[in-house]
Amino acid sequence: MNDTPNTDPPDSRPQDTQEPPERAPAPRTAGKRIRNALLAIDSWIDSTIYSGGVRLRGAWDGFVAFTERFNVQGPGRWAISLASEGMTWGAVGAVLVLALAVPAFHETSDDWLKKAELSVTFLDRYGNTIGERGIRHNDTVPLEEFPDHLIKAVLATEDRRFYEHFGIDIPGTFRAVLSNARAGGVVQGGSSLTQQLAKNLFLSNERTLERKIKEAFLALWLEFHLTKNQILKLYLDRAYMGGGAFGVDAAAQYYFGKSARDVNLAEAAMLAGLFKAPSKFAPHVNLPAARGRASVVLDNLVDAGFMTEGQVFGARRNPATPIDRKQDDLPEYYLDYAFDQVKQIVDTLPRGYAERSFVVRTALDPNIQKAADTAIRDSLKQFGKDYGAKQSAMVVMEPNGAVRAMVGGRDYGESQFNRATDALRQPGSSFKPFVYTAALMTGKYKPTTIVVDGPICIGNWCPQNYGRSYAGSIQLIGALTRSLNTVAVKLAEAIGRGRIVDLAHAMGLRTELKITRALPLGAAEVTVVDMATAYSVFASGGYSVDPHAIVEMRTPAGDPVWSFAQNAPKPKQIIPPEIIAMINPMLNSVVENGTGRRAMIPGTKVSGKTGTTNAYRDAWFVGFTGNYVGAIWFGNDDYASTKKMTGGSLPAMTWQKVMAFAHQGIELKPTPGLGNQPAPKLDGAVAQAAPLEIEGVQRPVTLTPASAERLMGLSARLREAAGQPVRRPTAAAEPVAVPGSPQAGNN
C-alpha cells in the first residue's frame, strides 16, 4: 500500500508538542469552570420548571376529577352559574365603589364641623357698622326653639321621610328618577336631607356620578355618627340661603330682620323655598319668584299631611314681605378692599387659630367717603360727556396710610371692578416727582440748579414738551412746575432709570416698572391706591407708608385679634428730611404756580402733581397737605381717548372739592418741608368754585386724640353701668367717637 508522504515542515511537530508557559492553562481552566457552572444552573432551572409543570398539571387533573363528582345538571347548574357570576361582578362593583368612597371619607379626617368661610362685620373709624362681607352665620339657636311650622315646611319640601330612612331615601330616589324621566329633565331632586348636608359639608355642587357616590357614602357616615335631630340642626344651620347668609337664622335676620324663632308661616315658607336655589328664589333678588316658591312650599305642607288647607290659607293671602336691602349708601368698594386685607391678616394668624368670625374697625371716614362719592358722581354727570370720560377712581388717606375713603368707579351696581386697586393705568407726569426726588438724593441737584430745556433724542425717540416749545435755561423747581418733559428725560439719563425705579418701589408702587426710555414721563402702569401711598411718603416727612383699611380686628365677643398699631411694620425713613425740604416746596409750586392751580384749598397749603398720558387716555391729580393725601384718576375702561382732558382740569377740580370738604373744621397740620407758611390767596376759577355740599352731612369740629380717648372712656363706663356690652378699642389705635356725639374729623 502506498503511504502518503509527510509534507509538514521539519519543525512543525516540535512546535505543536512544545510545552506552553506555566501560567497559560490557568485562564482556560477558570473559563471552563464558569461555563460548567452556568450550564449546571441552566439545567437545574429547566428541570425545575419542567417538573413543576408536570406536578401542577397532575394536581389540576386531580382537582378536575374530584370536582366531576359534584357535577350538577339541569336548572340547578344555571342557578349556580348565575350566582357565581353575580358574586364575581358584585365583588368587582364593591371594590370600585369603595375606591370612589375612600376619597370622600378623607374629607372627614379634619375637624369637619369647623366653619371654613370668613364672616366679617365692618365698623367705620367711629365704631358704627358700615357693612358685612363673607358669610352671615348663626348656629346658636337650639333646634327646639325653631318654630314647628318652619321645621315642617323644610321637611315637607326637602325630605318628608327624613325620620324613616337610613340616610338614603331609596323610594324617594326612584320616585324622583321616574318623575324626571317623564318630564325629560330635572324636576324633582332625589337626594335626602342627609345627602344634601353631606354635600354642603364636604363636597361641591358639580353634577357627576363620582360626587353622587361620595354623597351617598358620606350620608351613611353622618347617620352613623349623628342623631337625626343633630343632622337636621346642622342642615338648618349650614345650608346657603342667599345674600351671603348661611343657615336659617342668619337668613331670617337678613331677609326679615328677626330671629328664626319669630318667623310666621308665610316667612317660614319663603325661607324653606330657598334651599333649592337661593340665587333664583332670594326675595331681595326676585320677590315674585320667592313668593311663587313659597306657595309651592305651602302646597307641600298640605300634600305631606303636615297642615291643612285652612291652616295655610292665611299665609297664602298674606305672603311674606322682606325688608328693604338697598345698598346705595354702603361704601362697597372700600368694603371689598378691607375684606381683602382681612383675608391677608387671617392667613398670618397661627395655624391652630379656629375663629372665622370677626368684628373689624376700619379707618373709613363716612363723611369723606360720601364727599368723594358725591364729587365723582357730580363731575361725571356734569362734565363727563364734554370731556369724553366715563369712569373715575379716588383714594383719600392720611399721611400714615390710613385709608379714609375709596371710590372704585361711578356705580358699584353696574361694575364691581375696583379701579382704585386693580386697574393699571399710566400715571403720566404725576410720575415725575419720583424722578426729581431721585435726582435730589444724588446730591448733585438742588431746586435752584440750572438745567437746559431743549431738544433731546435717545435713538429715534425724541420727546417733546406739552406746548412743543422749549424754555432754555431754567431752574429745577421751574421745570417741575411747568412739567417739562425734556428735563425729566435728561435727569433720568443722568442719574440712571434704575435708581428711579428703586425709589418708586420703596415709596409704595408695587407694580412692575419696566425700565424704558419713556419711564420718566410715566409710561409705566400703576394703581390709584399705590400712587396715593407713594405721595404719602412726601406728606409723612419721608417715612415709608403701609396703606391700610384695617385698624383693629376682634372676635364677636370682643377679644383682640390684630391691631395696626401693634402688628403692622414700623415706618422707615426712605427719603432724608433734607430732601423732603426740597421736593415738597417744588410740588407746592406746581399747585400754586403751575398746572395744578385748580386744586388749591382755602386756608391750607397744597402740594401735588398733575398727570396726562398720550392721546389723553388718562388724567390724574395726586396731591397732599399736612392732613390728607389724595389720588384721583379719570378715563375710560376701554382705554379710549378723552376729549383733551388734562390732569389740571376735571381731576384737579374734583380733588379740590373732596379735599376742601375734608379740611373743614379740623386742626390743620403743616406739610413737612413747608413749615407754617401762610396759605395762598385764591383767585379766578378756584375762588369761585362752590364748596361741596352733601345733604345731611356737615363737617364737624375736630376732637383732639386726648379728648376722644377721654370721651370713649366715659362712654365705656356709662355702658358698663347700664349693663351693655362694651367694645374697647386697642390702645394707641384710632380714636372712636362717643355714640350720639358729632363725628370727629381728622385728628
Side-chain angles (χ1 to χ4, degrees):
M1 77 188 214
N2 295 325
D3 294 336
T4 303
N6 189 350
T7 59
D8 291 337
D11 59 346
S12 61
R13 293 180 183 273
Q15 290 178 354
D16 290 341
T17 57
Q18 185 179 3
E19 290 291 330
E22 294 182 0
R23 295 184 180 180
R28 294 181 183 179
T29 304
K32 183 179 291 187
R33 290 176 181 175
I34 293 173
R35 284 195 300 271
N36 292 339
L38 293 175
L39 287 173
I41 294 173
D42 181 65
S43 299
W44 179 82
I45 293 174
D46 292 343
S47 175
T48 302
I49 293 175
Y50 176 77
S51 60
V54 171
R55 286 194 295 270
L56 182 62
R57 185 166 57 251
W60 176 254
D61 292 341
F63 175 75
V64 171
F66 176 77
T67 56
E68 286 292 334
R69 303 176 185 177
F70 303 98
N71 188 22
V72 179
Q73 301 295 331
R77 177 168 183 158
W78 292 103
I80 293 175
S81 298
L82 290 175
S84 299
E85 291 294 330
M87 293 176 64
T88 301
W89 288 108
V92 173
V95 172
L96 178 62
V97 172
L98 184 61
L100 293 174
V102 168
F105 289 134
H106 288 166
E107 301 287 344
T108 65
S109 59
D110 297 329
D111 183 8
W112 56 277
L113 285 176
K114 69 181 181 181
K115 299 186 289 291
E117 299 86 357
L118 284 174
S119 175
V120 184
T121 299
F122 288 102
L123 314 176
D124 63 17
R125 63 180 300 195
Y126 307 112
N128 305 310
T129 301
I130 56 174
E132 298 174 329
R133 283 295 184 270
I135 69 169
R136 301 176 181 88
H137 182 265
N138 180 22
D139 57 2
T140 61
V141 180
L143 182 64
E144 56 271 15
E145 293 186 14
F146 284 107
D148 182 65
H149 52 258
L150 174 59
I151 294 178
K152 287 180 177 178
V154 173
L155 294 179
T157 305
E158 298 300 319
D159 192 352
R160 300 178 187 180
R161 292 167 41 83
F162 171 69
Y163 283 99
E164 301 172 15
H165 60 66
F166 55 89
I168 302 174
D169 186 6
I170 296 178
T173 301
F174 279 107
R175 184 173 59 252
V177 170
L178 292 175
S179 299
N180 295 335
R182 293 192 189 100
V186 180
V187 296
Q188 184 176 345
S191 297
S192 68
L193 188 147
T194 311
Q195 287 176 275
Q196 294 181 53
L197 176 62
K199 181 186 68 175
N200 293 339
L201 290 177
F202 306 116
L203 306 174
S204 66
N205 290 321
E206 61 178 348
R207 294 178 178 270
T208 62
L209 178 62
E210 181 183 1
R211 195 217 77 187
K212 295 297 293 184
I213 294 175
K214 289 181 179 180
E215 182 182 287
F217 271 89
L218 289 170
L220 297 175
W221 187 88
L222 287 172
E223 291 278 348
F224 179 78
H225 285 82
L226 302 174
T227 66
K228 285 288 186 179
N229 284 347
Q230 288 175 328
I231 292 174
L232 178 59
K233 177 67 165 58
L234 273 175
Y235 182 74
L236 294 175
D237 287 341
R238 295 300 180 87
Y240 181 61
M241 308 289 284
F246 282 74
V248 174
D249 189 72
Q253 294 284 358
Y254 181 70
Y255 294 122
F256 305 116
K258 62 176 70 174
S259 171
R261 301 179 180 92
D262 304 320
V263 297
N264 57 37
L265 178 57
E267 294 165 343
M270 187 171 287
L271 291 174
L274 293 173
F275 289 97
K276 181 178 181 180
S279 60
K280 180 179 179 181
F281 298 118
H284 72 300
V285 174
N286 191 336
L287 183 57
R291 286 177 171 172
R293 178 64 178 167
S295 180
V296 173
V297 173
L298 296 176
D299 292 339
N300 293 336
L301 280 168
V302 176
D303 294 341
F306 293 164
M307 286 188 175
T308 66
E309 183 61 41
Q311 290 175 306
V312 303
F313 179 76
R316 292 189 190 277
R317 292 291 302 271
N318 300 286
T321 300
I323 62 178
D324 187 11
R325 281 293 175 187
K326 290 184 179 179
Q327 316 248 329
D328 297 341
D329 295 333
L330 295 183
E332 300 288 4
Y333 290 112
Y334 190 100
L335 292 176
D336 288 347
Y337 175 67
F339 189 51
D340 287 340
Q341 289 197 343
V342 169
K343 289 187 285 188
Q344 294 173 9
I345 293 172
V346 170
D347 289 341
T348 65
L349 298 178
R351 295 187 61 182
Y353 194 85
E355 181 64 53
R356 306 294 289 176
S357 181
F358 303 99
V359 176
V360 175
R361 188 157 65 91
T362 69
L364 178 79
D365 187 312
N367 289 338
I368 299 179
Q369 180 67 47
K370 290 180 180 179
D373 286 330
T374 302
I376 287 178
R377 183 176 60 250
D378 292 349
S379 292
L380 288 173
K381 183 178 180 180
Q382 185 175 1
F383 301 107
K385 187 175 181 180
D386 295 337
Y387 279 109
K390 297 179 180 179
Q391 283 293 349
S392 179
M394 185 175 190
V395 172
V396 179
M397 63 174 61
E398 288 196 354
N400 64 0
V403 180
R404 296 303 185 195
M406 176 177 289
V407 181
R410 69 185 302 166
D411 190 339
Y412 186 85
E414 292 181 359
S415 171
Q416 290 79 50
F417 178 68
N418 194 336
R419 294 157 188 83
T421 60
D422 300 327
L424 295 177
R425 310 297 299 219
Q426 291 187 355
S429 294
S430 61
F431 187 86
K432 290 177 182 176
F434 309 128
V435 179
Y436 281 77
T437 303
L440 294 173
M441 291 177 66
T442 64
K444 300 178 181 179
Y445 298 90
K446 293 183 179 180
T448 56
T449 300
I450 301 297
V451 292
V452 177
D453 174 30
I456 180 176
C457 289
I458 304 176
N460 59 355
W461 180 66
C462 302
Q464 294 181 334
N465 294 323
Y466 178 73
R468 298 184 180 274
S469 60
Y470 302 101
S473 297
I474 188 173
Q475 290 185 343
L476 211 61
I477 185 173
L480 181 59
T481 301
R482 298 175 58 176
S483 193
L484 300 177
N485 291 336
T486 59
V487 174
V489 173
K490 289 181 178 180
L491 288 175
E493 284 293 296
I495 66 176
R497 301 185 191 94
R499 188 193 299 269
I500 300 170
V501 170
D502 292 341
L503 176 63
H505 280 153
M507 292 178 67
L509 298 188
R510 295 170 295 175
T511 54
E512 180 185 4
L513 302 176
K514 295 182 179 180
I515 300 179
T516 63
R517 295 173 297 183
L519 172 72
L521 303 184
E525 292 183 328
V526 298
T527 63
V528 177
V529 67
D530 283 356
M531 287 296 286
T533 302
Y535 273 64
S536 294
V537 176
F538 297 133
S540 67
Y543 287 93
S544 62
V545 173
D546 185 11
H548 61 280
I550 310 304
V551 175
E552 65 175 1
M553 289 175 53
R554 292 178 176 269
T555 66
D559 298 326
V561 175
W562 185 93
S563 72
F564 183 83
Q566 297 178 0
N567 302 107
K570 303 305 178 184
K572 300 178 181 179
Q573 188 85 43
I574 295 177
I575 303 175
E578 60 272 18
I579 304 300
I580 290 294
M582 297 180 190
I583 187 65
N584 282 1
M586 295 172 67
L587 293 173
N588 173 249
S589 178
V590 172
V591 175
E592 296 185 4
N593 306 305
T595 58
R597 288 185 56 80
R598 290 184 176 181
M600 297 172 67
I601 298 175
T604 188
K605 304 281 284 185
V606 176
S607 302
K609 186 70 184 75
T610 56
T612 310
T613 63
N614 286 339
Y616 300 96
R617 289 188 178 92
D618 304 284
W620 294 73
F621 184 80
V622 190
F624 58 93
T625 66
N627 297 82
Y628 293 111
V629 183
I632 190 169
W633 162 87
F634 279 87
N636 295 298
D637 287 339
D638 59 359
Y639 295 91
S641 298
T642 64
K643 297 178 181 179
K644 296 186 177 181
M645 179 173 61
T646 64
S649 59
L650 194 57
M653 292 164 54
T654 309
W655 188 95
Q656 192 271 347
K657 287 183 177 294
V658 177
M659 287 301 193
F661 176 87
H663 284 78
Q664 292 178 10
I666 67 173
E667 177 186 355
L668 299 179
K669 299 178 181 178
T671 302
L674 298 182
N676 294 314
Q677 299 180 18
K681 295 183 179 180
L682 305 185
D683 55 11
V686 178
Q688 297 174 5
L692 184 65
E693 294 183 1
I694 304 176
E695 183 178 356
V697 177
Q698 183 177 1
R699 200 73 176 134
V701 177
T702 300
L703 294 175
T704 64
S707 299
E709 186 176 353
R710 294 190 188 98
L711 287 175
M712 275 306 302
L714 176 61
S715 174
R717 287 192 290 272
L718 291 175
R719 284 172 175 255
E720 290 175 345
Q724 299 178 1
V726 178
R727 184 183 294 118
R728 298 180 181 277
T730 303
E734 293 280 325
V736 181
V738 179
S741 68
Q743 294 179 341
N746 181 271
N747 292 284

